Amino acid sequence: MKARLPQGYGKGNGGMNSMIKQAQKMQEDMQVLQEDLNQREYTATAGGGLIELTMLGDKELKSVKLNPDVVDKDSIEDLEDVIVAGVNAVITKIEVEHTEAMEKLTGGLNIPGMF
């Protein structure tokens, strides 16, 4: 018994070409979005506003602003803890926004190597 293929099967590859073009367009859009996200500035505070950090989307630290109340030579460890908390907060903010932006672009499609 011979199997029957769907009508039009094997004739032309318009569907495949369309899919390839869509994938290329998505790749281009992702690259543009990635460049845009990397140039954005993200700011986060820590220690109840004792420190404010600004970082670019590519995770380059741009600035650190300290409230004068946090500067005390007898509590260096507290300042160090607040800086670490601030850096982690701004990195988390960047990663969340990047993930949400990529999911919006790709419709939730998980593409390996992207975030």
Side-chain angles (χ1 to χ4, degrees):
M1 176 175 201
K2 289 187 177 183
R4 293 188 124 185
L5 297 174
Q7 186 175 6
Y9 182 83
K11 294 182 181 178
N13 57 0
M16 182 61 79
N17 285 338
S18 175
M19 191 165 47
I20 290 171
K21 285 180 183 178
Q22 286 177 341
Q24 288 171 336
K25 172 79 169 108
M26 184 182 292
Q27 184 178 18
E28 291 168 5
D29 291 347
M30 288 172 63
Q31 186 174 5
V32 168
L33 179 60
Q34 181 68 52
E35 290 169 5
D36 177 54
L37 291 170
N38 285 345
Q39 295 305 311
R40 291 184 189 178
E41 287 189 2
Y42 300 84
T43 301
T45 60
L50 294 175
I51 185 171
E52 178 182 283
L53 295 107
T54 301
M55 190 175 278
L56 292 176
D58 63 0
K59 298 177 186 165
E60 177 184 336
L61 187 60
K62 251 189 110 145
S63 70
V64 176
K65 293 181 183 176
L66 300 175
N67 181 315
D69 296 338
V70 78
V71 182
D72 179 1
K73 68 178 184 172
D74 295 328
S75 62
I76 296 295
E77 289 179 4
D78 292 340
L79 176 58
E80 292 169 344
D81 291 343
V82 171
I83 291 171
V84 169
V87 169
N88 288 335
V90 75
I91 287 174
T92 299
K93 193 175 201 177
I94 290 168
E95 290 176 350
V96 166
E97 184 167 327
H98 284 206
T99 299
E100 288 173 354
M102 282 297 171
E103 285 177 353
K104 189 175 181 181
L105 177 70
T106 63
L109 180 65
N110 185 12
I111 300 173
M114 295 305 296
F115 302 101

